[in-house]
Amino acid sequence: MLGDPRTVRVTGDDTAAVYRRAEDTEAKDSHRDEPVQEAYVWCNLTSGDSSRALWLVLLPFMVVNLAHWMRPAAPGRHRAVRLYGLLVRLAALTLTVLLVAAACEVALDLVAWQCAGVHDCTSRHSWLAFLAPRVPAARAGHDTWWSLPGRRLALAALAPAALTCLLWYLSHRTWSAYESHRPMSHDPEPDTEGSALALPGFWYGRRIVARLRAAHTAAALLTVAAAVAAPPAAFDHRPGGPAALDVLSWLLTAALLACAMAAVAVVCRRGRSENLLDQRLDRQLVRGLPLGALALLLLTMVYAGWARPGWRSTGRLAGDPAFGTLMLAQGLLVVALAVVARDLYRRSPDPRAGMRGLSGPAVALLACALGGVMSGGVAQRVADWLDGTHALLPGPPVLLTWQASTIPPVLAVLLIVAAGLGMRTARLARAERDRVREEHPGEPEDPGRTHAIAQVRAMAALTDRAPFVVAVLTVTTLVLGAVALAGALATGKTPDGAARRTYDVMQAVAETSQALGSWLVGLGFILFVTWGRRAYKDASARRTIGILWDVGTFWPRAAHPFAPPCYAERAVPDLTWRMATWTQRTGGRLVLSGHSQGSVLAAAAAWQLPPSVRGRIALLTYGSPLERLYGRWFPAHFGPPALAALHRDVACWGNLYRLTDPIGGPVRVPDDTTPEVDHAPLRDPLAYGRTPAHPLPAPILGHSDYQADPDFARERARLLNRLRPELPRQRPEPVEPGVPTGEPS
């Protein structure tokens, strides 16, 4: 970043820090006019140690958390905004329950109930022999203390309970490292048309994450308890059953429902307080709710392990009603979310907003679908591993098989969309060739060079078609999900079984979709595990995952506490403290420069500065997705009013972009009272043919290496010159023991 191998850390730690060139740190003249560069390095916040590979499992949680921030801008509609956030938090809670229910399906149903109850299956898997039930002596069977169905279920419940504890631990550890960094205190912004990112408590989600973590942990443990309690309770409710166990089952059911209602109530309660730094922690709730759920789980395990003569494990557990109820609840929540989002959009329409305000519900639906596919894939793979012949065990719930069968139609639709986008890109590339020729008059034409430049520009324009792709994928997912749910609940059979005695074409389609879907689920699961394993061992793969996580983990965990942590809750306070303290100590002028996602961090940090400091800095962004991605997908926080307010507050702002850049673009600030923000598109490549300055073919840079363009240095100098008449010459920075001297930035 600094273009010099000799760098010195000015402030910070091994996770994130500010660096200078060694010669700039050692300089004594604090009155010189040359700008001194500082680099804030934050890559370890997203691509640090090997534990980042575990974040792949949390992908659905991260996606649903994004839906919280994708609501349309709606000034003054506070109740509708709260309802929108409530619906997203409830959808996020169903994802936690779905993940733990899938773990219960594998551990309790497939392993402890089905396989451990069949001797042919336990003989194939000797590690389950101690769970085998009593059989006739002629078959050399034996009985063990664990062979009772309830005790097998109680033992198997340790696996999903351990998964819940792992999620709690990861969330608590990252909460201490990210959400607990206290930002600067300043008064709330009086401008209600600006962005909420300027509020003092926006990057301090300590309380809401702690509350949500307690509620989600309790809900996960209660899901395990319900999966353990349901089979013995059904046996105890039969006529003539033990009266004491029957009464105990009803008491446990009532206690589980009461605790579940308490967890839902915590999720429904508004927890974020962005107008101020809310430092309360609700310690009794944060500790008491998960511990109460854990106590109920232990009581349920004791209840299930009680001896019940004549009880045998046959068939499969009641997984279809449970997964069907979850899927139906998720669908209803997404539909309600779409209604609220559409109402918000109609009150303040923005033609640049993605999907006309429906991007949040669409992303929430995709998160639910992703969670369902991952859950079904794990269950299907474990079932195939336990019973390779498909003759010993009933297998997973039929709804999961129906879900897997929808994957081939979804891929077919995506292939059609990809083909259409490919044809559109080819047409756009042909049109771009004429523009490239017009931009280089008088130079000998190189058809290959022209074609390469035009093709890169056309490919870069595909980013603007992302809302269309997401819309098509969302509609397809919603329709096929409804068909899968209706087919599973109406027939109680797998797709090929439901299609029997129908037309031959329908039978062929059902059999093909089911077989291909199962194969694709298995392939996807293998690729998922392989990628995670490679990321655990390979630092370069971890960096790749970190880049993919940059956008998803920029936002605070407002909906799901088990999502990957928000690095901006560490990075934004870092930048804010550095800029505010440096300008106050020296009175100097400052240009805040950011590339790509760094430009989003720069804007967020500028919003967090006190107004007096914000007016003393210039903003330089390049390759910036501020409007092209964030303004469209997060209009409530990066929409035109928010960017216009930022433009008015900072001293000056310049933005550089290229037509070949698939990420960066113009900011399009709707403000005619001040100079424009956007520079004309930079030339890329810098030279069309061979020139004295570029004797070899200049590369097409796209999203990278903006500093190599001469316009970058000119734009930075222009911003410094615009700052110079308005601000006094900086004072010498006072020297403190152990603190390096400062220079103009």
Side-chain angles (χ1 to χ4, degrees):
M1 294 173 67
L2 296 177
D4 194 313
R6 297 178 62 245
T7 59
V8 176
R9 184 166 69 189
V10 177
T11 181
D13 53 23
D14 293 335
T15 303
V18 174
Y19 292 84
R20 281 187 179 185
R21 295 189 181 101
E23 60 182 16
D24 293 335
T25 305
E26 298 165 359
K28 301 298 182 182
D29 183 10
S30 60
H31 293 278
R32 64 182 185 178
D33 293 329
E34 296 84 2
V36 174
Q37 296 184 39
E38 286 188 353
Y40 177 66
V41 181
W42 52 279
C43 58
N44 285 334
L45 291 173
T46 56
S47 57
D49 57 27
S50 56
S51 65
R52 297 298 196 273
L54 296 174
W55 291 1
L56 284 172
V57 184
L58 311 180
L59 182 60
F61 301 160
M62 182 189 75
V63 176
V64 77
N65 192 69
L66 284 177
H68 175 89
W69 303 105
M70 288 182 167
R71 65 169 177 83
R77 300 295 310 281
H78 300 296
R79 292 185 178 179
V81 169
R82 291 189 190 125
L83 179 59
Y84 182 95
L86 168 62
L87 293 173
V88 176
R89 291 197 299 273
L90 289 176
L93 184 64
T94 64
L95 278 177
T96 297
V97 175
L98 176 62
L99 173 68
V100 179
C104 292
E105 168 61 30
V106 170
L108 275 69
D109 188 11
L110 295 177
V111 176
W113 185 264
Q114 295 186 30
C115 185
V118 178
H119 281 275
D120 290 338
C121 186
T122 54
S123 63
R124 294 183 56 189
H125 304 281
S126 58
W127 54 279
L128 291 175
F130 73 102
L131 299 177
R134 179 182 301 170
V135 296
R139 296 185 61 181
H142 63 279
D143 192 14
T144 66
W145 192 86
W146 292 107
S147 62
L148 297 182
R151 294 172 185 173
R152 300 203 306 265
L153 293 176
L155 180 62
L158 295 177
L163 174 63
T164 302
C165 293
L166 175 63
L167 292 175
W168 177 90
Y169 168 75
L170 292 175
S171 178
H172 185 272
R173 190 184 71 171
T174 55
W175 173 78
S176 301
Y178 291 80
E179 277 88 2
S180 297
H181 279 270
R182 189 171 180 270
M184 291 188 66
S185 300
H186 62 85
D187 295 331
E189 290 294 313
D191 185 6
T192 58
E193 294 184 358
S195 176
L197 274 71
L199 297 176
F202 187 89
W203 299 109
Y204 196 64
R206 195 162 178 249
R207 185 186 183 194
I208 179 62
V209 175
R211 290 173 58 88
L212 289 179
R213 183 176 67 243
H216 282 245
T217 302
L221 293 174
L222 293 174
T223 301
V224 181
V228 174
F235 182 79
D236 293 338
H237 292 339
R238 77 190 192 287
L245 292 178
D246 188 23
V247 172
L248 182 58
S249 68
W250 287 113
L251 292 176
L252 274 176
T253 302
L256 292 176
L257 288 176
C259 194
M261 293 176 61
V264 173
V266 171
V267 172
C268 292
R269 181 179 175 183
R270 184 185 179 193
R272 279 185 66 87
S273 180
E274 298 172 353
N275 292 322
L276 49 86
L277 289 177
D278 191 354
Q279 302 188 55
R280 294 173 294 175
L281 283 183
D282 307 308
R283 297 186 184 275
Q284 293 182 351
L285 172 67
V286 170
R287 295 175 181 175
L289 190 58
L291 290 177
L294 180 60
L296 286 177
L297 174 59
L298 295 176
L299 289 175
T300 303
M301 294 169 67
V302 173
Y303 161 74
W306 210 266
R308 292 173 175 82
W311 187 26
R312 294 290 182 267
S313 59
T314 58
R316 62 166 67 96
L317 295 179
D320 279 315
F323 285 102
T325 302
L326 273 176
M327 191 174 180
L328 179 61
Q330 290 175 343
L332 294 176
L333 287 171
V334 169
V335 171
L337 189 65
V339 173
V340 176
R342 188 60 183 173
D343 179 67
L344 291 173
Y345 179 81
R346 288 173 57 190
R347 300 301 179 96
S348 181
D350 178 9
R352 295 284 295 175
M355 299 178 62
R356 296 298 188 266
L358 295 178
S359 56
V363 168
L365 178 64
L366 295 180
C368 296
L370 183 60
V373 169
M374 293 174 61
S375 302
V378 172
Q380 196 71 45
R381 290 309 98 204
V382 173
D384 291 343
W385 171 58
L386 293 174
D387 182 15
T389 63
H390 300 281
L392 299 176
L393 307 180
V398 295
L399 178 59
L400 300 183
T401 305
W402 277 85
Q403 288 179 333
S405 301
T406 63
I407 296 178
V410 171
L411 293 180
V413 172
L414 288 180
L415 287 176
I416 296 174
V417 172
L421 291 178
M423 291 173 23
R424 183 180 183 277
T425 303
R427 291 194 300 268
L428 184 59
R430 287 194 294 269
E432 286 291 338
R433 290 195 204 110
D434 296 333
R435 298 190 184 96
V436 172
R437 296 189 192 101
E438 294 173 358
E439 292 170 2
H440 302 90
E443 295 190 49
E445 182 180 352
D446 184 348
R449 183 74 160 170
T450 301
H451 175 78
I453 298 173
Q455 188 67 26
V456 172
R457 289 186 182 181
M459 293 295 293
L462 284 177
T463 303
D464 300 322
R465 303 298 296 170
F468 169 74
V469 176
V470 174
V472 172
L473 182 60
T474 301
V475 173
T476 305
T477 302
L478 182 62
V479 172
L480 292 178
V483 170
L485 179 61
L489 297 181
T491 65
K493 300 177 182 179
T494 57
D496 60 350
R500 291 175 185 171
R501 300 180 182 179
T502 60
Y503 296 104
D504 293 340
V505 175
M506 293 185 63
Q507 293 184 31
V509 170
E511 292 174 358
T512 303
S513 296
Q514 181 174 329
L516 188 59
S518 177
W519 183 82
L520 289 174
V521 166
L523 178 62
F525 181 70
I526 292 173
L527 292 176
F528 187 82
V529 173
T530 303
W531 194 17
R533 186 172 180 271
R534 180 170 175 261
Y536 184 84
K537 295 184 176 181
D538 187 359
S540 62
R542 284 200 302 275
R543 284 192 294 269
T544 302
I545 294 176
I547 294 173
L548 297 177
W549 253 231
D550 281 354
V551 176
T553 57
F554 170 77
W555 296 99
R557 293 186 280 194
H560 207 300
F562 297 155
C566 168
Y567 63 86
E569 291 193 296
R570 163 70 191 271
V572 171
D574 281 358
L575 287 169
T576 306
W577 277 98
R578 177 58 180 168
M579 290 187 293
T581 55
W582 188 86
T583 54
Q584 291 170 3
R585 288 162 64 107
T586 66
R589 56 191 184 273
L590 187 147
V591 173
L592 180 59
S593 170
H595 171 249
S596 190
Q597 188 67 18
S599 68
V600 183
L601 278 179
W607 263 312
Q608 281 287 301
L609 288 171
S612 59
V613 179
R614 195 184 307 160
R616 299 173 63 85
I617 70 170
L619 192 60
L620 174 59
T621 55
Y622 45 102
S624 172
L626 271 172
E627 194 280 335
R628 192 177 189 183
L629 296 180
Y630 281 81
R632 294 183 184 182
W633 294 99
F634 308 98
H637 300 88
F638 287 95
L643 295 179
L646 179 63
H647 185 210
R648 292 191 300 267
D649 292 343
V650 297
C652 47
W653 185 1
N655 180 64
L656 307 176
Y657 67 98
R658 300 188 182 108
L659 297 178
T660 55
D661 191 340
I663 298 175
V667 175
R668 295 188 177 93
V669 173
D671 193 348
D672 298 330
T673 61
T674 55
E676 293 184 2
V677 171
D678 294 316
H679 188 280
L682 301 182
R683 291 169 57 93
D684 190 26
L686 292 174
Y688 177 77
R690 297 175 185 263
T691 66
H694 299 276
L696 299 180
I700 301 175
L701 299 176
H703 186 59
S704 63
D705 208 5
Y706 272 81
Q707 294 91 335
D709 196 301
D711 284 338
F712 178 87
R714 285 194 287 266
E715 182 67 15
R716 186 175 61 185
R718 184 182 71 86
L719 294 175
L720 282 168
N721 290 332
R722 288 185 61 188
L723 282 175
R724 190 186 305 267
E726 302 176 5
L727 298 178
R729 190 179 186 87
Q730 66 266 20
R731 302 184 300 271
E733 186 173 1
V735 179
E736 297 180 2
V739 178
T741 58
E743 299 293 340
S745 294

